[in-house]
Amino acid sequence: VRGGHPQGVATKTTGYPYVDFNEIVDEAQADENSLVVVLDHLEDPQNVGAILRTACAVGVTGVVIPEDRACGITPAAVRASAGGSEYIKVAKVVNLVRAIEALKDAGLWFTGLDWGKDAKLYTDIDFKGRVGLVVGSEGSGISRLVRENCDFIAELPMPGGFESLNAGVATAVTMYEVLRQRMSAKCR
């Protein structure tokens, strides 16, 4: 084993089993309550793993990541996912904007987590139906072209004066808002 703490156990595995992007598109189109998370060039494997763990917990359809300039599903991300990476479908794509467009054609509405004059409070966004959630990188947020392809921009309130949460926490809060809205709709 290369580093780490194997605790006397080792196993040989293949690389992470990414799925074909079209598999996520097909599943999203087939499920009227699909939720697809797009990670726009996240670099921290701890954030990626935490997002996979929460995505698995809330029943996300799939996660989309770019092939370049981003953290893939590395051993560190797998560890941080605490098993979630084994149950969630992840696809790598060459172009995030084209991926978002394909998912929009499948009926998804996209919300980007960001701030600005056009941002709404995340609880004011209607997350029922087919939803895409875009999370920007830790340093620069959502890239310009990806942001322009979002239907809505959502921000989390920060009354404590801190400027931002890490990507994993912000995504978890928003995914649970999606789940809350959907569960509230079922109770009516």
Side-chain angles (χ1 to χ4, degrees):
V1 293
R2 290 184 223 139
H5 304 285
Q7 300 177 359
V9 178
T11 186
K12 185 175 182 173
T13 63
T14 60
Y16 184 79
Y18 294 99
V19 300
D20 184 83
F21 172 67
N22 290 319
E23 187 175 333
I24 291 176
V25 173
D26 292 343
E27 286 191 29
Q29 191 167 27
D31 180 1
E32 65 186 26
N33 288 306
S34 58
L35 171 58
V36 175
V37 177
V38 175
L39 305 182
D40 186 4
H41 296 94
L42 268 70
E43 297 175 348
D44 183 352
Q46 300 300 316
N47 278 330
V48 172
I51 290 168
L52 294 179
R53 182 177 187 174
T54 308
C56 186
V58 301
V60 164
T61 306
V63 175
V64 179
I65 62 174
E67 284 187 4
D68 297 321
R69 300 182 331 271
C71 178
I73 310 307
T74 65
V78 168
R79 272 191 307 279
S81 79
S85 64
E86 303 304 314
Y87 297 97
I88 195 81
K89 293 181 179 183
V90 180
K92 276 188 170 183
V93 296
V94 174
N95 186 304
L96 287 179
V97 172
R98 281 197 299 252
I100 289 169
E101 289 171 350
L103 288 161
K104 281 183 161 189
D105 288 345
L108 278 75
W109 290 83
F110 274 85
T111 298
L113 293 180
D114 209 350
W115 56 87
K117 292 180 181 177
D118 58 342
K120 294 181 178 181
L121 186 62
Y122 79 112
T123 54
D124 290 343
I125 306 279
D126 182 357
F127 286 119
K128 293 180 283 303
R130 291 180 182 89
V131 173
L133 184 62
V134 179
V135 183
S137 72
E138 295 89 347
S140 55
I142 299 174
S143 59
R144 182 184 58 82
L145 289 175
V146 169
R147 192 179 202 282
E148 288 173 3
N149 277 276
C150 290
D151 300 297
F152 309 102
I153 300 299
E155 64 182 356
L156 279 70
M158 302 282 169
F162 209 68
E163 291 187 11
S164 68
L165 297 171
N166 78 21
V169 171
T171 307
V173 168
T174 308
M175 284 191 282
Y176 269 95
E177 174 61 15
V178 173
L179 184 62
R180 184 196 68 77
Q181 287 186 22
R182 292 174 177 188
M183 291 177 77
S184 293
K186 285 181 184 179
C187 293
R188 291 181 189 170

